[in-house]
Amino acid sequence: MPTCGNYKLRKKLGEGGFGAVYLAKHIDTKKKVALKIIKPEMMEHVNMDDIEKEVEILKQIDHPYITKLVEAGHCELSSRGRTNEVYCIALEVASGGELFDFISMTGAFSEDVARYFFHQFLDALEYMHEKGISHRDLKTENILLDKDFNLKIADFGYASEKGSNQTQVGTPDYMAPEILQGEKYSGQIADIFGAGLILFMMHAQSKAFLKAEQSDPYYKNIASNRPDKFWKEHIKSKGDETYFSEEFKDLVTGLFAYNPFHRLTIAEVRSHPWFNGTVPTSEDIADEFNRRKENLDEELRRQRDEDPTQAEFDTSLLEGNSVHRGIGDSDEESKEVCEREEQEYDEDFENYHKFFSTSSVEDLWTNLCAYVTGITGEYKFSADEYSISAKVVKEEEEKEEKKESVKEEPIEFLVNILKVPEQEKHCIDATVIKGNKFNFTDQFRDLKKFFGGHANATLAD
């Protein structure tokens, strides 16, 4: 396995414009970290001042519901006999995985369970704001869980210490309206808007809207001060008039306010009746999550016992162009590229989008490449690991009543094939990089069915 300074890489967690993120283990202490690696070729495209600023902000933060910085600096990355100098940021790893992976696979939270996590989230947000720090990229992908089911806010790449900002950073789907409009804005007030999005998704298991613009079929009702119509649409989709309590609707509406100066403050949220409702104990949460995991495991066992779906793919995709090569690789490069190193499966790092197989890694890799090349032309094979990143554009849908065209951003995801230590099987592990997480879950289920038809996929541990 590749090593980076004092760390041994174990699993790729994601990719971005700055490079890649890995689960890694310290060679001497065996401590696990999430390791951001900025390679030399990426240093020309990223502002290292911004990277170092992120590190300086993280050094100021010490809170139980925020991921901690372990160390950062230049070090050497060694892989397959080659060594390069890279910049690494080692962060506390949240072994429980992403909170919203859990929701997308096991269902929405009740208002009481959502309230438990929202209390933790608001504690962390208030702590940051009191230090003069705004996150500016609060979204579902950046909410993690530790092994004890405590929430952790992650990824401070866009964090700011300025009282007023104008740079349009973050993820468009989660940006506050004032950011989308290119106005000067308060990062802290924009964070409040992000808090509303996260709370809504915890309870609704869906996005509140596609983008905070007056043209959005949902958000336009908030912007025009017609929250009754906004909630009517969401209640209709749930098919239950009582799904959202009146107190929940009132709080979320206040967090979504179009005018940033009309948005609720943290003090107002803390005094709100919904926030002060019943809160489960940590034992209740552990019981709830363990029950959900048992139900998910049972579903995986049931799928394993059923006849697999026989998906079809065009085998000509595999002829004349080795699927072991990345796009644009030459024949001379192919021999080296084929010498991929297997990353290790780590049972202590939870991911709910995974399944297992006793097929060989080469058979699994062939099937993975066939699946990805069959659904999209935008993909990238890793040259070092059994890993593929891909982008899938979801077709436009029309709302039945108003015939409004609804276009969602592409889903970008990463799939790893991991060797399970001391066992004759592999884990096929998928992670969303960008896009609607619930659409990604549908894509993952298609991937799992495909493998059920073409490889010895057991679908459960």
Side-chain angles (χ1 to χ4, degrees):
M1 293 292 292
T3 59
C4 186
N6 295 321
Y7 295 97
K8 185 177 182 180
L9 308 187
R10 297 177 66 85
K11 169 189 171 185
K12 187 179 286 186
L13 301 178
E15 275 187 277
F18 54 81
V21 182
Y22 286 86
L23 174 67
K25 181 181 282 189
H26 196 280
I27 294 172
D28 297 323
T29 66
K30 308 304 180 185
K31 181 180 178 65
K32 294 174 185 176
V33 298
L35 198 65
K36 284 187 178 182
I37 301 176
I38 299 93
K39 296 183 179 180
E41 59 268 26
M42 296 307 304
M43 291 182 184
E44 299 177 4
H45 305 288
V46 299
N47 188 331
M48 287 305 296
D49 289 341
D50 290 342
I51 300 294
E52 291 172 358
K53 181 181 177 183
E54 175 186 357
V55 170
E56 289 305 311
I57 287 177
L58 286 168
K59 286 179 179 179
Q60 302 175 43
I61 295 174
D62 184 10
H63 191 275
Y65 305 137
I66 300 176
T67 54
K68 293 179 175 62
L69 175 71
V70 177
E71 62 179 324
H74 291 274
C75 60
E76 292 185 340
L77 172 64
S78 299
S79 177
R80 297 190 301 175
R82 297 195 306 265
T83 299
N84 290 307
E85 183 175 296
V86 298
Y87 190 87
C88 290
I89 303 175
L91 299 160
E92 172 191 20
V93 66
S95 59
E98 291 186 15
L99 175 63
F100 290 93
D101 276 352
F102 196 78
I103 293 173
S104 66
M105 293 297 288
T106 69
F109 290 163
S110 67
E111 289 194 14
D112 286 355
V113 172
R115 188 181 293 113
Y116 175 90
F117 288 108
F118 195 64
H119 275 216
Q120 292 188 347
F121 176 87
L122 203 71
D123 286 351
L125 192 64
E126 186 172 45
Y127 170 85
M128 286 190 293
H129 288 184
E130 286 178 348
K131 285 184 165 290
I133 298 168
S134 57
H135 188 283
R136 298 200 301 166
D137 195 24
L138 292 173
K139 57 183 180 179
T140 57
E141 293 86 343
N142 292 337
I143 306 298
L144 309 177
L145 292 171
D146 68 13
K147 62 182 178 60
D148 297 317
F149 309 115
N150 291 309
L151 175 149
K152 296 278 186 178
I153 298 177
D155 200 342
F156 281 73
Y158 292 130
S160 172
E161 295 179 278
K162 296 180 180 179
S164 177
N165 299 271
Q166 193 161 12
T167 50
Q168 208 174 44
V169 299
T171 305
D173 287 14
Y174 297 89
M175 286 181 183
E178 61 270 24
I179 302 178
L180 290 170
Q181 292 168 13
E183 301 173 356
K184 286 187 177 181
Y185 64 92
S186 161
Q188 295 191 5
I189 296 177
D191 282 350
I192 294 293
F193 188 86
L197 288 166
I198 289 166
L199 175 58
F200 182 93
M201 195 176 286
M202 277 197 284
H203 181 45
Q205 199 195 8
S206 64
K207 297 173 71 173
F209 38 78
L210 298 181
K211 195 176 286 187
E213 297 176 327
Q214 296 194 37
S215 60
D216 184 273
Y218 288 96
Y219 190 72
K220 68 181 182 183
N221 295 316
I222 297 290
S224 61
N225 199 29
R226 288 299 308 273
D228 54 321
K229 294 185 69 176
F230 170 85
W231 291 107
K232 183 178 179 180
E233 289 289 328
H234 282 292
I235 289 170
K236 181 180 177 181
S237 69
K238 293 297 180 186
D240 181 359
E241 291 283 341
T242 64
Y243 188 86
F244 302 103
S245 71
E246 292 301 319
E247 291 177 346
F248 180 88
K249 291 190 287 186
D250 184 71
L251 174 60
V252 172
T253 299
L255 296 171
F256 283 163
Y258 180 73
N259 186 327
F261 298 105
H262 294 167
R263 221 164 281 156
L264 296 178
T265 65
I266 288 180
E268 288 171 330
V269 172
R270 288 197 178 279
S271 63
H272 194 278
W274 185 87
F275 189 84
N276 290 289
T278 303
V279 180
T281 65
S282 58
E283 290 78 13
D284 293 334
I285 294 298
D287 289 343
E288 166 87 5
F289 272 52
N290 288 328
R291 178 185 60 78
R292 285 172 175 252
K293 288 180 70 174
E294 288 173 5
N295 290 342
L296 180 60
D297 290 343
E298 178 57 35
E299 179 187 354
L300 292 172
R301 283 191 290 271
R302 178 183 57 77
Q303 292 172 346
R304 175 193 61 193
D305 295 336
E306 290 178 352
D307 290 334
T309 300
Q310 292 292 331
E312 296 183 1
F313 65 92
D314 183 0
T315 55
S316 66
L317 290 168
L318 309 183
E319 297 174 1
N321 182 25
S322 171
V323 296
H324 296 274
R325 291 182 293 167
I327 299 173
D329 287 336
S330 69
D331 289 334
E332 289 300 317
E333 293 171 325
S334 63
K335 292 181 180 179
E336 180 182 21
V337 172
C338 282
E339 296 175 1
R340 288 183 166 83
E341 296 184 50
E342 292 187 67
Q343 298 179 67
E344 292 182 13
Y345 169 70
D346 194 316
E347 63 182 1
D348 292 333
F349 188 85
E350 192 60 83
N351 178 15
Y352 303 102
H353 293 91
K354 66 182 179 184
F355 55 93
F356 297 84
S357 173
T358 56
S359 294
S360 71
V361 67
E362 292 300 329
D363 284 347
L364 292 171
W365 180 243
T366 297
N367 279 280
L368 176 58
C369 293
Y371 175 79
V372 170
T373 56
I375 62 171
T376 181
E378 296 189 62
Y379 54 86
K380 182 180 179 181
F381 301 148
S382 169
D384 301 307
E385 304 104 8
Y386 291 93
S387 174
I388 296 179
S389 57
K391 179 190 290 188
V392 177
V393 179
K394 183 178 173 60
E395 292 184 2
E396 290 190 11
E397 297 179 353
E398 287 188 345
K399 293 183 68 181
E400 292 184 4
E401 290 184 359
K402 300 181 182 179
K403 303 299 182 184
E404 293 174 343
S405 179
V406 178
K407 186 177 182 180
E408 297 208 35
E409 68 171 323
I411 307 166
E412 296 183 37
F413 61 93
L414 178 76
V415 184
N416 296 300
I417 300 175
L418 310 170
K419 171 63 179 174
V420 180
E422 301 179 0
Q423 296 188 42
E424 295 300 320
K425 65 178 180 180
H426 291 83
C427 175
I428 295 84
D429 170 289
T431 305
V432 65
I433 299 171
K434 185 179 181 182
N436 186 307
K437 297 184 71 65
F438 303 113
N439 290 343
F440 164 68
T441 295
D442 292 339
Q443 192 73 55
F444 169 74
R445 290 191 172 110
D446 287 344
L447 169 69
K448 190 165 58 175
K449 286 181 180 179
F450 183 92
F451 271 79
H454 295 96
N456 183 20
T458 62
L459 303 180
D461 195 1

